[in-house]
């Protein structure tokens, strides 16, 4: 499960973004190649650029072929979350909260000094959706250790729920029960 981001103290120019994205893509390609060579499945947050009027795309390394790019849906109606990147490079989705629409967030560990000594706070983002998918991938691998990363991706996507709204642009929603059942049936 990987979530990366770069923070600018101001709105970056298109040239700055292009330079950073080029550097990130090269670094992620190196990480990706090493992971694939070692039979590691990469589960990557698709990104939250739609917070800023973003475009239809997914971030790297999730956009690489053998990585799983995860979009986010609102937990109450399973529609694409207002911030979530979407499009052909997003493979699957999971609940990521949608605080911008007064929807519940996803509870996560918090930095106590930043959040009034609270251990947990509600967040939203594709980084909150990504652990759901990574967890299901781990369950699938646990019931069938012979599965390759490619086979796990096939199982997760094939068993995911296509009936959720916006599945055509954000991918189907991960279904833990169906994925584990399929893995027990044995692909590998």
């Amino acid at each position: 499960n990987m979530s990366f981001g770069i923070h600018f103290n101001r709105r970056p120019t298109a040239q700055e973004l292009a330079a950073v994205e080029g550097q990130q893509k090269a670094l992620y390609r190196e990480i990706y190649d090493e992971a694939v060579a070692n039979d590691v499945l990469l589960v990557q947050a698709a990104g939250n650029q739609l917070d800023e009027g973003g475009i239809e795309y997914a971030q790297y390394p999730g956009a690489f072929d053998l990585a799983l790019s995860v979009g986010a849906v609102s937990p109450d109606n399973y529609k694409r979350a207002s911030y979530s990147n979407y499009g052909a490079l997003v493979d699957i989705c999971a609940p990521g909260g949608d605080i911008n629409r007064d929807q519940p967030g996803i509870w996560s560990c918090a930095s106590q000094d930043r959040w009034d000594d609270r251990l947990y706070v509600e967040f939203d983002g594709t980084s909150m959706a990504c652990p759901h998918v990574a967890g299901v991938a781990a369950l699938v691998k646990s019931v069938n250790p012979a599965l390759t990363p490619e086979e796990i991706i096939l199982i997760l996507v094939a068993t995911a729920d296509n009936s959720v709204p916006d599945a055509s642009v954000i991918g189907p929603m991960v279904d833990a029960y169906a994925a584990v059942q399929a893995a027990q049936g044995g692909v590998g």
Side-chain angles (χ1 to χ4, degrees):
N1 174 35
M2 301 185 334
S3 298
F4 299 113
I6 293 180
H7 178 72
F8 286 89
N9 291 328
R10 58 178 169 65
R11 189 167 191 82
T13 67
Q15 292 84 4
E16 288 171 326
L17 280 177
V20 167
E21 287 174 358
Q23 292 168 357
Q24 281 184 326
K25 188 175 177 181
L27 173 63
Y28 295 155
R29 185 69 207 204
E30 190 176 317
I31 293 168
Y32 167 83
D33 288 343
E34 182 72 19
V36 169
N38 288 287
D39 279 335
V40 173
L41 172 60
L42 295 178
V43 180
Q44 162 75 31
N48 306 318
Q49 278 69 26
L50 289 185
D51 279 342
E52 301 162 6
I55 57 172
E56 180 180 331
Y57 76 104
Q59 292 180 326
Y60 287 90
F64 289 131
D65 289 341
L66 294 178
L68 200 54
S69 181
V70 181
V73 294
S74 296
D76 68 326
N77 60 13
Y78 304 124
K79 289 185 178 179
R80 182 182 57 77
S82 60
Y83 51 80
S84 182
N85 288 358
Y86 63 94
L89 296 177
V90 179
D91 302 304
I92 198 164
C93 68
D98 204 351
I99 297 170
N100 296 335
R101 292 185 184 161
D102 293 325
Q103 303 299 318
I106 303 296
W107 288 95
S108 186
C109 299
S111 170
Q112 289 181 327
D113 60 332
R114 185 172 176 193
W115 298 100
D116 302 324
D117 291 328
R118 292 182 286 168
L119 294 176
Y120 301 96
V121 295
E122 284 183 272
F123 289 114
D124 64 359
T126 56
S127 294
M128 298 295 104
C130 203
H132 295 290
V133 176
V136 175
L139 286 172
V140 165
K141 182 73 170 175
S142 76
V143 299
N144 191 340
L147 292 172
T148 66
E150 295 89 348
E151 291 169 330
I152 294 170
I153 290 172
L154 289 173
I155 288 172
L156 291 177
V157 174
T159 60
D161 183 358
N162 279 298
S163 70
V164 297
D166 303 326
S168 63
V169 295
I170 198 159
M173 187 161 61
V174 67
D175 183 332
Y177 180 77
V180 169
Q181 290 295 313
Q184 288 174 328
V187 173

